Amino acid sequence: MTLDEMKPGNECRVVKVDVEGVAGQRLLDMGFIPGTLISIIRNAPLMDPIDIRVKGYMLALRRSEARGVEVTPL
Amino acid sequence: MTGSSSQIIVALAGQPNSGKSTIFNSLTGARQHVANYPGITVEKKMGTYRFDGRKTVVVDLPGTYSLTSYTQEERVSRDFLLHEKPAAVVDVVDASNLERNLYLVFQLAEMGIPMALALNMMDVAQQRGLKIDTNALSQQVGMPVVPTIGNRGKGINELRQAVDQISKDGGAPQSSLRLDYGTALEPVLARLEKSLSEDVTLATRYSLRWLALKLMENDSEAGRLVREHAANTGDILSSVARERELFHSEQGQTAEQAIAISRYQIAGEIVGRCVKREKEERRTLTDRIDQVVCNRAAGPIFLGGVLFFLYYLTMTIGGEHVAPWAWKYWAMLRDVIAGILPAEGLIRSLILTGIVDGVFAIMNYLPIFLILFLLIAILEDSGYMARVAFIMDRVLRAFGLHGQSTLPMILGGVVVGGCAIPGVMATRAMKDQKARMTTIMIVPLMNCMAKVPLYVLLVSIFFEEHQAIMLWFMSLITLGVALIVASVLSLTILKREESEPFILEMPPYHLPTITGVIRRAVERTWLFVKKVITIIVAVAIVVWVFITFPGLSKERTAYYDGQVNTATETFMKKIGEDNPYAKLLAGTGLKEFGQFWDRYKKKKMGIKGKDAKEALKEKFSRENPEFFKIVNKGKGLDGKKDKHAKKVYAAYKKLDKKLKRLDTARRKETVHVSFAGRFGRFLEPVSQWAGFDWKTNIALASSFAAKENLVATLGTIYSVGEGPSGATLASAMAEDTAETWTPLHALALMLFVALFPPCIATLIMVRVETGSTKWMLFAATYPIILGFIIATMVFQGGHLFGLTAIQTMISLSLLTFAILAVTYFAGERSVLKKQLSS
Ligand SMILES: Nc1nc2c(ncn2[C@@H]2O[C@H](COP(=O)(O)OP(=O)(O)OP(=O)(O)O)[C@@H](O)[C@H]2O)c(=O)[nH]1
Ligand SMILES: [Mg+2]
């Protein structure tokens, strides 16, 4: 399952980040490493981007980026 | 300079929005932009302070989450640390977000520069129930840790002390922190380090462990360093490539992934040891605010409300209350200047109508600007702007823009009244290069404050009954056209620009600090004032010269002089030689009297109330009782009537009218034959397609330098005498254009101005922000073509179908929105295509 398929109000853990280049590096830098807990907080009014909590801070990212993050729902 | 004890350089690094600029300002007393929005500082900024008799140069680096070489900010920060060799680095760490911040701490430490941590935002951490054991943390990371609260100046002196300690004579030990990257990677790093150490240049310049790590991360800049400095470049780089491949195939993950994972693991361990959560985290205030403000239904409504209030407050408080109050003082200042200048002649007309009126016409907006920028700064510092980007991203992305394009567009004047210069500057916080370029190109199409006076002028003459609606139409159409342009640009010439992932941190809300807000607003307003002072003055002079010279031919001058003489003679004859006042008005006396007359009339118009009038009369009577009797229709101050004086009054009144008419005719003819007039007429054959006559052409050409000139130049051309105040210009234009201009003319002109190229000051800013002259030229030319096409379309189309201006406007809006819909779906498709391919 990938992060963009998660529904607001749910939590999941990162399995793997499968994104090349800048976006991949950025996600690593922001703490998307295997085992990281992610809570999906909300969708933007037009469903995209999504707002999540990771490592104690809030982050907005587009679904196109979220698609590259493989997760297991909790 | 590392070794010198008299001056040292200290770098401030840290993650975005951790409070570096706030700490920088507290340390040095400087005024860096501060906002609750990640990525405000993009270039490095310097400041100084003295501690213990030693001068310390502080460099505020841009915030970065990491130190790769993917983004501009990371490269700027890293290059500074690598090549300028500061004596120490202070990493400003967000205490409420320690784990992610430690990730950067490790990378800085690996560069081998003496280091201290400023553990900032301690108040936020405390609020969240986090208790941080700073001593333990200091031990874990092997460097001094100073708790600070940047916006309250807490811990600043302790920080200075810590910096002093670690940079003492450059002999301080570097951080004792050494990360363990695990059994798979450490041997590789050791091998690489060894082969790197064989190269003397590299070994003396850089921390080899750092370089080895960067090479394993496949960092392009590290590769470049090796290529530039190492003797056996080929060997090193090929062995790096081999090791990376081997690692990937054996470990099932890339080296950069493994490195990031190790860093976060160790960061997590350190946080576990040093941070205690004293209370379970309840829902914070930020969460609760976001629940409303980012809500699917309420969020957009709230945003609409915020924008409405932004403009409403600006226009009512600024426009209706503060501005008129300020105008009084501007007017007084103008009178003072007018008083100092010689009574007539070229110099007076140049300085007064050319420069002073030009500058003051714009200074009138100052209070409005200040209030608009204050309100925007409050929004920025509260943290709301990141939410605006979150809400708007999906819509704007379809047009090739970005959620973060919203702020620049608001500054530029989405609805009405802004300035493109701060708008273009605000694009700096955008990381997505493609969206950023697109935004820079369209911000000047917004309705900046300078376009508004022309709208107001024309709307009040030609659309008296529909003023408000017309202004709304203007902002809607410009927004529509801007979005279309953005879409077209991003799908065509900007297609290849680098695009960045949208990964935006949402900072917690906090109360804006008063000083921060004021600083920012004043700074943006100051940018505008600087532009006024420099560019407008220059342009005013040029326009004035072009309008005044080469002047009338000898014959025409003689003709006008002759007319004036005849009129004067008639006047003298009328009052008769035996009139006791005749002698008084002979020769230069007449001129003196003329000035007396004008001054009295002007003063009298400006006052109300019986007492004030009496006082005025007394004053003028004291100055010259004879003259006064004439201007007072033959009555002296004592009320005695003098029929001779009355006769002179009646005759002079006629003469005055005649002279003023001659003067206006002379001025008009001067403009007509001037360089500017010739230029305007030269363009007339083309511009008439859009309904612009030669006078309009001159005004448009002058507004290229600064839009504010437009109304001022029209004022000069329509000869409203000194000081084109709105009302008189409107009546002069209405009179002059009554036969030739239709509302359609006005509409075409308004649309052209709306899209007209950015003023020179904005173009300079575009040059600075894009770093390219080519883009600047593009930004200058495409709006002329676009504006001309639309103006022509409106003017010709309106005529062809026999539409009224309002009908034309409605048709144009419909057309705009039809095209907008098409571009939206085109953009949508390309977004989807991208998503599918990724
Ligand atoms: N509560 C609290 N707020 C702080 C503190 N220090 C700074 N701030 C606020 O945090 C926000 C960010 O501060 P900046 O100084 O702009 O941060 P920066 O690190 O320079 O940010 P970038 O230039 O974007 O990387 C501002 O709104 C500051 O007023 C602090 O110790 N406590
Ligand atoms: Mg900053």
Side-chain angles (χ1 to χ4, degrees), chain B residues 458-495:
Chain B
L458 293 179
V459 164
S460 70
I461 301 175
F462 294 100
F463 303 97
E464 234 182 315
E465 278 138 50
H466 305 100
Q467 298 201 13
I469 300 177
M470 284 306 280
L471 289 177
W472 269 106
F473 262 130
M474 286 308 295
S475 28
L476 279 182
I477 287 200
T478 44
L479 181 61
V481 171
L483 291 178
I484 295 172
V485 169
S487 188
V488 170
L489 289 182
S490 70
L491 289 174
T492 55
I493 43 178
L494 286 169
K495 200 171 174 178

Side-chain angles (χ1 to χ4, degrees), chain B residues 270-561:
Chain B
I270 294 182
V271 168
R273 271 177 230 135
C274 308
V275 182
K276 284 210 179 54
R277 192 171 282 285
E278 287 198 316
K279 51 183 177 190
E280 210 30 58
E281 188 162 27
R282 324 171 263 112
R283 279 180 52 218
T284 58
L285 187 59
T286 295
D287 291 337
R288 269 174 287 169
I289 297 175
D290 272 345
Q291 197 148 45
V292 179
V293 159
C294 295
N295 179 280
R296 292 196 58 190
I301 297 173
F302 184 80
L303 175 58
V306 166
L307 282 186
F308 175 77
F309 267 100
L310 185 73
Y311 288 109
Y312 179 76
L313 289 179
T314 306
M315 290 306 159
T316 53
I317 300 185
E320 284 167 24
H321 298 294
V322 186
W325 171 81
W327 288 346
K328 261 204 335 243
Y329 292 94
W330 294 136
M332 273 163 61
L333 191 59
R334 184 186 182 279
D335 283 345
V336 170
I337 298 174
I340 300 170
L341 293 169
E344 47 187 292
L346 281 183
I347 298 290
R348 182 186 174 85
S349 106
L350 168 62
I351 296 187
L352 207 59
T353 52
I355 299 176
V356 175
D357 284 344
V359 170
F360 279 28
I362 301 138
M363 291 310 224
N364 283 344
Y365 304 119
L366 216 58
I368 304 180
F369 264 128
L370 200 61
I371 287 176
L372 179 68
F373 291 157
L374 275 174
L375 293 172
I376 291 176
I378 290 174
L379 286 183
E380 278 180 280
D381 208 18
S382 72
Y384 183 58
M385 277 303 169
R387 276 73 184 180
V388 174
F390 176 68
I391 294 172
M392 295 301 295
D393 184 64
R394 188 66 188 83
V395 183
L396 292 176
R397 194 191 338 166
F399 299 105
L401 297 166
H402 189 282
Q404 285 173 303
S405 308
T406 323
L407 175 63
M409 285 167 73
I410 292 175
L411 283 168
V414 184
V415 180
V416 106
C419 178
I421 301 174
V424 170
M425 267 183 69
T427 61
R428 269 189 207 181
M430 297 177 66
K431 301 288 168 278
D432 185 325
Q433 185 63 14
K434 181 172 169 182
R436 178 164 181 260
M437 290 294 290
T438 316
T439 311
I440 293 177
M441 289 298 132
I442 63 146
V443 163
L445 294 183
M446 303 287 102
N447 296 293
C448 79
M449 202 69 91
K451 298 176 184 173
V452 178
L454 183 89
Y455 297 169
V456 172
L457 178 73
L458 293 179
V459 164
S460 70
I461 301 175
F462 294 100
F463 303 97
E464 234 182 315
E465 278 138 50
H466 305 100
Q467 298 201 13
I469 300 177
M470 284 306 280
L471 289 177
W472 269 106
F473 262 130
M474 286 308 295
S475 28
L476 279 182
I477 287 200
T478 44
L479 181 61
V481 171
L483 291 178
I484 295 172
V485 169
S487 188
V488 170
L489 289 182
S490 70
L491 289 174
T492 55
I493 43 178
L494 286 169
K495 200 171 174 178
R496 272 194 198 90
E497 291 284 330
E498 245 177 276
S499 186
E500 257 231 4
F502 180 98
I503 300 178
L504 185 66
E505 195 187 341
M506 299 275 151
Y509 292 103
H510 56 70
L511 274 183
T513 57
I514 296 174
T515 46
V517 165
I518 291 178
R519 248 178 214 169
R520 207 163 165 75
V522 167
E523 205 140 331
R524 283 188 172 142
T525 312
W526 176 238
L527 272 177
F528 173 77
V529 173
K530 261 203 315 218
K531 156 188 157 186
V532 170
I533 296 173
T534 51
I535 295 188
I536 308 222
V537 167
V539 171
I541 294 175
V542 171
V543 169
W544 179 84
V545 165
F546 274 76
I547 285 181
T548 313
F549 293 103
L552 295 178
S553 66
K554 268 210 192 87
E555 295 84 61
R556 295 303 292 166
T557 311
Y559 165 77
Y560 279 112
D561 288 348

Side-chain angles (χ1 to χ4, degrees), chain A residues 18-49:
Chain A
D18 208 4
V19 187
E20 295 279 294
V22 207
Q25 183 67 46
R26 184 78 331 130
L27 288 169
L28 286 176
D29 294 342
M30 302 306 277
F32 287 71
I33 58 166
T36 298
L37 182 70
I38 297 179
S39 324
I40 289 79
I41 306 295
R42 65 174 62 83
N43 292 320
L46 291 172
M47 300 303 286
D48 191 10

Side-chain angles (χ1 to χ4, degrees), chain A residues 29 48 55 57-58 60 62, chain B residues 99 103 264 393 397 504:
Chain A
D29 294 342
D48 191 10
K55 299 217 176 268
Y57 68 93
M58 307 286 288
R62 285 184 184 158
Chain B
E99 188 176 347
Y103 181 78
Y264 261 110
D393 184 64
R397 194 191 338 166
L504 185 66

